[in-house]
Structures are given as C-alpha cells and as structure tokens.
Amino acid sequence: RVLPLPFISPTDRANPNDNVEIRDGREEGEEKILEDSRIYTEKNTEYCGVKAPAANLVDIVANISHFSTFSKLIKFAGVEAKLSRDTSLTVLAPNNQAFNILDNETVEKLFSDQELARQAVLRHTLTEVLCCSAISRNSGILFNTSRRRTVAGSLISFRKAASGNLYADKSQLEEVVCDRVAGNGVLHGIRRLLAI
C-alpha cells in the first residue's frame, strides 16, 4: 500500500534557533480556518485503515503535481475553506490529462465563471468517505446500489469492472495510488471530469 506524500509546513522547516520570522502568506482572519483544518489530527482520525495526517484535502491536492489544474480550479472556485474544514469527504480529483482532453472553450468557461467552477468542484466531492475497498461489482445494469451523493447534490455511480478497475461514472480511478488519506477525508485521482 502506498501512503500519501508527507506534508511539511513552513513552520516545520524552520529551525527555532534561527530567530527567523515565518510568514506563510495568510491573512490574520485565515488563522481560524487553519486552526479548524488541523484539529483532525488531534482526534486520531483514521480513514480507510490509515491514520489521517495533518494535511487536509486542499493541501494534498496542492502537493501532487498532476493535480495542479484541479488545485487551481479549487482556488478559483473559492471552496478552499470548505474543503479544508469539512470532515469525512471524498474528493475525486481529475488529473491534468483530464483537463487536457477538454476543448479550450470548455476550460476557458470553467476558469472564467466562478459559480460554474464551484459547482464543478463540489460535483467531484462526496459527502462521505469512500475507500477503494468499498467499491464493489454491480450485479447488473439495473441493480446499481453503489451511488453516492456529492456536496452539490448530484449522484455518482461507482463500480468495479471484471478487470478490477474502479470507476466513478465513466471515469476510471487511478490505479497507482488509491485512498490518498488526508486529515479530513480521502482523495482519489480520476482520468476525466465528471459532468460539469
């Protein structure tokens, strides 16, 4: 099992004997959001059988290079605080290739309309933690009981193919790392955007 990359905050990097003032770019009002997002580690939270690290979902997405476009979309949409603060979430993060297969007009529209971007991110966020091990094979096309509700209110069907590949609607989940655990939920990489 591959574990998520460690998140090292600027505070962790500084040597306390250096008398260096640490500035991380946050405004004074954002300290409460940071405090709220770090509280999960104090509770010894565990997702998918893995102890949750200090990094929240936004931190994890931002620290993985092949999710850089989705990270920019989260920032543009203005949902960083929600995805940092809310607990027990699952984020289905489209990788950069998923954005590259879209036509330029769709990408421009997504990054010029903040409400559209917000809805797109929330449609890729489940209201519960979903581990890869919980995704099972369906017993038929009419018996799909593996639907989960997103924060935006839409439903996403999950299934396991005969080959063992996992799917969220028609988008395949990344096989290399499943269940990237964060302090407030789980992240799964997907290969194409779900409905925008």
Side-chain angles (χ1 to χ4, degrees), residues 58 61-64 67-76 80 99:
V58 174
V61 171
N63 283 305
I64 300 174
F67 296 134
S68 61
T69 307
F70 189 64
S71 179
K72 290 174 189 172
L73 188 65
I74 290 171
K75 289 176 186 170
F76 176 73
E80 284 178 295
F99 286 94

Side-chain angles (χ1 to χ4, degrees), residues 42-108:
E42 296 172 13
K43 296 181 180 179
N44 291 327
T45 305
E46 190 174 289
Y47 297 114
C48 305
V50 177
K51 185 177 183 224
N56 60 47
L57 288 163
V58 174
D59 295 334
I60 299 289
V61 171
N63 283 305
I64 300 174
S65 62
H66 63 273
F67 296 134
S68 61
T69 307
F70 189 64
S71 179
K72 290 174 189 172
L73 188 65
I74 290 171
K75 289 176 186 170
F76 176 73
V79 294
E80 284 178 295
K82 180 169 189 51
L83 296 182
S84 297
R85 183 182 60 241
D86 290 1
T87 59
S88 299
L89 299 174
T90 299
V91 173
L92 303 168
N95 61 25
N96 292 344
Q97 290 176 348
F99 286 94
N100 291 340
I101 61 174
L102 295 175
D103 59 90
N104 290 339
E105 184 180 313
T106 303
V107 175
E108 286 175 20

